[in-house]
Amino acid sequence: MDDDIQKLRDEYLNLEFDEVSFDLDGERMAMYGQCCGETDPKFTDVKNEDFQAPPTFVSTLVGGRHLPKDMPVPDGVGMDAGKYVEWMAPLRAGHTLIGKSHLHDIYTKTGRSGRMIFFVTRMELFDGDEHVANADTRTVFRERPSG
Amino acid sequence: MPIPALFSGRDPVARTVNVITDVEFGEELPSFEPDVSLDNVKLHGKFVGWGTGRFTSHEQAKKEGFPGAIVPGVMSQGFLGAMIHRWAPKAVITAIDTVFRAPVMVDNPHKITGIVTDIDEDEGTVEIDISISNEKEETRVFGTATAKLPK
């Protein structure tokens, strides 16, 4: 582990830095399902008795910040490198979720073009007291070669 | 015992599975052509989000250094989830991980695939390798999903 990365991990991992609320809109959930090719009415028809968001809808819930406000970030533009969803319970229209974000992991990969630094931000989503999902976003910064 | 499509070279049979014992190791999920048209991405942008120029305008995307408009990653992940639901309508996707290796380009045909790589009949879960590739067979998105089926 590079020293600078270890320092970031020591100072910032697992500390909550953002909390937001989401009012789950049925039309938005249904349109997401339709645009993505879902065919089951429980994902596309708000009038279906079991209507719920497709599990991947969790990835569309974006917090106020991706990274801690005071954390130094590498030069360059952060790119969305991937998304992970852990689904635990249905997301229902009309409910309000609370999303609490923390840095879940920081790691690097080194390729021919230099070092890439990955930040994994995890937003834990709660419907009342029930933990309904985790949404991870991987943001990558590609460092400019020195010299 | 039937030979899984992965090993037989056959196209996957368009079938659905209902219970965990229906699933065959190595079977390829029936696919569908994801709608990556500009109209559909605009519709997604209007109702869901990701409606900025790089997603909804080829011209704007080119100004930002892309070859053309790109499909939002959340849509790509959604296509893969929909493929699993079409194959196994009673499945619950409990985890899905997608790596955005390269942009999925709007108005360019893409293929989505899923292959069963593990089955746990005791837990009622399957592991599926998932991917999206373009006409040049370049992988743009890849990952894994875990789905739980009735026993």
Side-chain angles (χ1 to χ4, degrees), chain B residues 38-56:
Chain B
L38 195 60
D39 284 347
N40 195 41
V41 174
K42 283 182 175 177
L43 191 65
H44 181 274
K46 179 180 177 182
F47 286 95
V48 183
W50 288 264
T52 55
R54 69 171 60 178
F55 304 112
T56 59

PDB file of all heavy atoms in Angstrom, chain B residues 38-56:
ATOM      1  N   LEU B  38     -31.164   7.448 -28.985  1.00  0.00           N
ATOM      2  CA  LEU B  38     -31.140   8.785 -28.387  1.00  0.00           C
ATOM      3  C   LEU B  38     -32.492   9.118 -27.754  1.00  0.00           C
ATOM      4  O   LEU B  38     -32.545   9.719 -26.677  1.00  0.00           O
ATOM      5  CB  LEU B  38     -30.772   9.826 -29.457  1.00  0.00           C
ATOM      6  CG  LEU B  38     -30.349  11.203 -28.949  1.00  0.00           C
ATOM      7  CD1 LEU B  38     -29.117  11.125 -28.061  1.00  0.00           C
ATOM      8  CD2 LEU B  38     -30.097  12.155 -30.115  1.00  0.00           C
ATOM      9  N   ASP B  39     -33.569   8.682 -28.410  1.00  0.00           N
ATOM     10  CA  ASP B  39     -34.901   8.963 -27.858  1.00  0.00           C
ATOM     11  C   ASP B  39     -35.071   8.332 -26.478  1.00  0.00           C
ATOM     12  O   ASP B  39     -35.620   8.946 -25.561  1.00  0.00           O
ATOM     13  CB  ASP B  39     -35.995   8.435 -28.807  1.00  0.00           C
ATOM     14  CG  ASP B  39     -36.181   9.333 -30.016  1.00  0.00           C
ATOM     15  OD1 ASP B  39     -35.659  10.466 -30.001  1.00  0.00           O
ATOM     16  OD2 ASP B  39     -36.844   8.890 -30.976  1.00  0.00           O
ATOM     17  N   ASN B  40     -34.622   7.087 -26.338  1.00  0.00           N
ATOM     18  CA  ASN B  40     -34.796   6.403 -25.053  1.00  0.00           C
ATOM     19  C   ASN B  40     -33.905   7.015 -23.972  1.00  0.00           C
ATOM     20  O   ASN B  40     -34.320   7.148 -22.820  1.00  0.00           O
ATOM     21  CB  ASN B  40     -34.503   4.903 -25.202  1.00  0.00           C
ATOM     22  CG  ASN B  40     -35.007   4.102 -24.012  1.00  0.00           C
ATOM     23  OD1 ASN B  40     -36.107   4.353 -23.492  1.00  0.00           O
ATOM     24  ND2 ASN B  40     -34.204   3.146 -23.553  1.00  0.00           N
ATOM     25  N   VAL B  41     -32.702   7.398 -24.353  1.00  0.00           N
ATOM     26  CA  VAL B  41     -31.809   8.027 -23.373  1.00  0.00           C
ATOM     27  C   VAL B  41     -32.352   9.398 -22.962  1.00  0.00           C
ATOM     28  O   VAL B  41     -32.263   9.792 -21.797  1.00  0.00           O
ATOM     29  CB  VAL B  41     -30.374   8.127 -23.932  1.00  0.00           C
ATOM     30  CG1 VAL B  41     -29.479   8.911 -22.983  1.00  0.00           C
ATOM     31  CG2 VAL B  41     -29.795   6.728 -24.158  1.00  0.00           C
ATOM     32  N   LYS B  42     -32.957  10.094 -23.924  1.00  0.00           N
ATOM     33  CA  LYS B  42     -33.593  11.377 -23.589  1.00  0.00           C
ATOM     34  C   LYS B  42     -34.774  11.170 -22.642  1.00  0.00           C
ATOM     35  O   LYS B  42     -34.981  11.954 -21.706  1.00  0.00           O
ATOM     36  CB  LYS B  42     -34.064  12.090 -24.863  1.00  0.00           C
ATOM     37  CG  LYS B  42     -32.954  12.771 -25.650  1.00  0.00           C
ATOM     38  CD  LYS B  42     -33.555  13.488 -26.863  1.00  0.00           C
ATOM     39  CE  LYS B  42     -32.504  14.281 -27.619  1.00  0.00           C
ATOM     40  NZ  LYS B  42     -33.071  14.923 -28.834  1.00  0.00           N
ATOM     41  N   LEU B  43     -35.555  10.130 -22.910  1.00  0.00           N
ATOM     42  CA  LEU B  43     -36.700   9.821 -22.043  1.00  0.00           C
ATOM     43  C   LEU B  43     -36.213   9.536 -20.619  1.00  0.00           C
ATOM     44  O   LEU B  43     -36.784  10.043 -19.634  1.00  0.00           O
ATOM     45  CB  LEU B  43     -37.455   8.609 -22.607  1.00  0.00           C
ATOM     46  CG  LEU B  43     -38.817   8.294 -22.012  1.00  0.00           C
ATOM     47  CD1 LEU B  43     -39.822   9.395 -22.311  1.00  0.00           C
ATOM     48  CD2 LEU B  43     -39.334   6.944 -22.554  1.00  0.00           C
ATOM     49  N   HIS B  44     -35.172   8.740 -20.524  1.00  0.00           N
ATOM     50  CA  HIS B  44     -34.566   8.454 -19.223  1.00  0.00           C
ATOM     51  C   HIS B  44     -34.073   9.744 -18.574  1.00  0.00           C
ATOM     52  O   HIS B  44     -34.291   9.988 -17.379  1.00  0.00           O
ATOM     53  CB  HIS B  44     -33.407   7.458 -19.413  1.00  0.00           C
ATOM     54  CG  HIS B  44     -32.719   7.063 -18.152  1.00  0.00           C
ATOM     55  ND1 HIS B  44     -31.690   7.793 -17.601  1.00  0.00           N
ATOM     56  CD2 HIS B  44     -32.915   6.014 -17.308  1.00  0.00           C
ATOM     57  CE1 HIS B  44     -31.275   7.201 -16.493  1.00  0.00           C
ATOM     58  NE2 HIS B  44     -31.987   6.128 -16.292  1.00  0.00           N
ATOM     59  N   GLY B  45     -33.470  10.580 -19.378  1.00  0.00           N
ATOM     60  CA  GLY B  45     -32.964  11.842 -18.851  1.00  0.00           C
ATOM     61  C   GLY B  45     -34.071  12.736 -18.331  1.00  0.00           C
ATOM     62  O   GLY B  45     -33.920  13.403 -17.303  1.00  0.00           O
ATOM     63  N   LYS B  46     -35.203  12.721 -19.005  1.00  0.00           N
ATOM     64  CA  LYS B  46     -36.326  13.576 -18.607  1.00  0.00           C
ATOM     65  C   LYS B  46     -36.958  13.104 -17.301  1.00  0.00           C
ATOM     66  O   LYS B  46     -37.277  13.915 -16.426  1.00  0.00           O
ATOM     67  CB  LYS B  46     -37.374  13.584 -19.727  1.00  0.00           C
ATOM     68  CG  LYS B  46     -38.600  14.430 -19.415  1.00  0.00           C
ATOM     69  CD  LYS B  46     -39.586  14.390 -20.587  1.00  0.00           C
ATOM     70  CE  LYS B  46     -40.852  15.183 -20.251  1.00  0.00           C
ATOM     71  NZ  LYS B  46     -41.839  15.113 -21.343  1.00  0.00           N
ATOM     72  N   PHE B  47     -37.141  11.800 -17.155  1.00  0.00           N
ATOM     73  CA  PHE B  47     -37.892  11.294 -16.005  1.00  0.00           C
ATOM     74  C   PHE B  47     -37.015  10.796 -14.855  1.00  0.00           C
ATOM     75  O   PHE B  47     -37.453  10.782 -13.711  1.00  0.00           O
ATOM     76  CB  PHE B  47     -38.822  10.154 -16.448  1.00  0.00           C
ATOM     77  CG  PHE B  47     -40.009  10.635 -17.224  1.00  0.00           C
ATOM     78  CD1 PHE B  47     -39.996  10.654 -18.598  1.00  0.00           C
ATOM     79  CD2 PHE B  47     -41.142  11.093 -16.554  1.00  0.00           C
ATOM     80  CE1 PHE B  47     -41.099  11.105 -19.319  1.00  0.00           C
ATOM     81  CE2 PHE B  47     -42.241  11.547 -17.255  1.00  0.00           C
ATOM     82  CZ  PHE B  47     -42.216  11.558 -18.645  1.00  0.00           C
ATOM     83  N   VAL B  48     -35.808  10.342 -15.158  1.00  0.00           N
ATOM     84  CA  VAL B  48     -34.975   9.715 -14.114  1.00  0.00           C
ATOM     85  C   VAL B  48     -33.783  10.586 -13.753  1.00  0.00           C
ATOM     86  O   VAL B  48     -33.444  10.756 -12.583  1.00  0.00           O
ATOM     87  CB  VAL B  48     -34.488   8.315 -14.579  1.00  0.00           C
ATOM     88  CG1 VAL B  48     -33.682   7.644 -13.471  1.00  0.00           C
ATOM     89  CG2 VAL B  48     -35.678   7.440 -14.975  1.00  0.00           C
ATOM     90  N   GLY B  49     -33.141  11.152 -14.768  1.00  0.00           N
ATOM     91  CA  GLY B  49     -31.945  11.953 -14.541  1.00  0.00           C
ATOM     92  C   GLY B  49     -30.897  11.625 -15.599  1.00  0.00           C
ATOM     93  O   GLY B  49     -31.150  10.863 -16.528  1.00  0.00           O
ATOM     94  N   TRP B  50     -29.724  12.209 -15.482  1.00  0.00           N
ATOM     95  CA  TRP B  50     -28.655  12.038 -16.461  1.00  0.00           C
ATOM     96  C   TRP B  50     -29.129  12.569 -17.821  1.00  0.00           C
ATOM     97  O   TRP B  50     -28.946  11.923 -18.855  1.00  0.00           O
ATOM     98  CB  TRP B  50     -28.210  10.567 -16.559  1.00  0.00           C
ATOM     99  CG  TRP B  50     -27.448  10.130 -15.351  1.00  0.00           C
ATOM    100  CD1 TRP B  50     -26.089  10.105 -15.209  1.00  0.00           C
ATOM    101  CD2 TRP B  50     -27.986   9.681 -14.095  1.00  0.00           C
ATOM    102  NE1 TRP B  50     -25.756   9.682 -13.934  1.00  0.00           N
ATOM    103  CE2 TRP B  50     -26.899   9.417 -13.225  1.00  0.00           C
ATOM    104  CE3 TRP B  50     -29.279   9.497 -13.618  1.00  0.00           C
ATOM    105  CZ2 TRP B  50     -27.078   8.970 -11.924  1.00  0.00           C
ATOM    106  CZ3 TRP B  50     -29.458   9.065 -12.323  1.00  0.00           C
ATOM    107  CH2 TRP B  50     -28.361   8.796 -11.498  1.00  0.00           C
ATOM    108  N   GLY B  51     -29.725  13.766 -17.792  1.00  0.00           N
ATOM    109  CA  GLY B  51     -30.260  14.356 -19.016  1.00  0.00           C
ATOM    110  C   GLY B  51     -29.377  15.449 -19.586  1.00  0.00           C
ATOM    111  O   GLY B  51     -29.837  16.242 -20.412  1.00  0.00           O
ATOM    112  N   THR B  52     -28.122  15.490 -19.142  1.00  0.00           N
ATOM    113  CA  THR B  52     -27.225  16.526 -19.656  1.00  0.00           C
ATOM    114  C   THR B  52     -26.699  16.163 -21.036  1.00  0.00           C
ATOM    115  O   THR B  52     -26.879  15.043 -21.522  1.00  0.00           O
ATOM    116  CB  THR B  52     -26.047  16.756 -18.689  1.00  0.00           C
ATOM    117  OG1 THR B  52     -25.389  15.511 -18.463  1.00  0.00           O
ATOM    118  CG2 THR B  52     -26.543  17.321 -17.354  1.00  0.00           C
ATOM    119  N   GLY B  53     -26.015  17.151 -21.660  1.00  0.00           N
ATOM    120  CA  GLY B  53     -25.643  17.052 -23.066  1.00  0.00           C
ATOM    121  C   GLY B  53     -24.844  15.833 -23.460  1.00  0.00           C
ATOM    122  O   GLY B  53     -25.056  15.276 -24.531  1.00  0.00           O
ATOM    123  N   ARG B  54     -23.938  15.394 -22.608  1.00  0.00           N
ATOM    124  CA  ARG B  54     -23.095  14.266 -23.023  1.00  0.00           C
ATOM    125  C   ARG B  54     -23.916  12.988 -23.221  1.00  0.00           C
ATOM    126  O   ARG B  54     -23.482  12.055 -23.885  1.00  0.00           O
ATOM    127  CB  ARG B  54     -21.973  14.009 -22.021  1.00  0.00           C
ATOM    128  CG  ARG B  54     -22.420  13.471 -20.670  1.00  0.00           C
ATOM    129  CD  ARG B  54     -21.253  13.048 -19.809  1.00  0.00           C
ATOM    130  NE  ARG B  54     -20.351  14.151 -19.529  1.00  0.00           N
ATOM    131  CZ  ARG B  54     -19.269  14.034 -18.766  1.00  0.00           C
ATOM    132  NH1 ARG B  54     -18.961  12.872 -18.237  1.00  0.00           N
ATOM    133  NH2 ARG B  54     -18.494  15.066 -18.539  1.00  0.00           N
ATOM    134  N   PHE B  55     -25.114  12.955 -22.609  1.00  0.00           N
ATOM    135  CA  PHE B  55     -25.984  11.783 -22.742  1.00  0.00           C
ATOM    136  C   PHE B  55     -27.058  11.973 -23.817  1.00  0.00           C
ATOM    137  O   PHE B  55     -27.541  11.002 -24.380  1.00  0.00           O
ATOM    138  CB  PHE B  55     -26.669  11.472 -21.406  1.00  0.00           C
ATOM    139  CG  PHE B  55     -25.716  11.279 -20.263  1.00  0.00           C
ATOM    140  CD1 PHE B  55     -25.650  12.198 -19.222  1.00  0.00           C
ATOM    141  CD2 PHE B  55     -24.862  10.179 -20.220  1.00  0.00           C
ATOM    142  CE1 PHE B  55     -24.768  12.029 -18.166  1.00  0.00           C
ATOM    143  CE2 PHE B  55     -23.973  10.006 -19.172  1.00  0.00           C
ATOM    144  CZ  PHE B  55     -23.920  10.940 -18.139  1.00  0.00           C
ATOM    145  N   THR B  56     -27.440  13.206 -24.074  1.00  0.00           N
ATOM    146  CA  THR B  56     -28.621  13.455 -24.909  1.00  0.00           C
ATOM    147  C   THR B  56     -28.325  14.210 -26.204  1.00  0.00           C
ATOM    148  O   THR B  56     -29.242  14.499 -26.965  1.00  0.00           O
ATOM    149  CB  THR B  56     -29.670  14.265 -24.115  1.00  0.00           C
ATOM    150  OG1 THR B  56     -29.071  15.496 -23.698  1.00  0.00           O
ATOM    151  CG2 THR B  56     -30.148  13.493 -22.887  1.00  0.00           C
TER     152      THR B  56
END
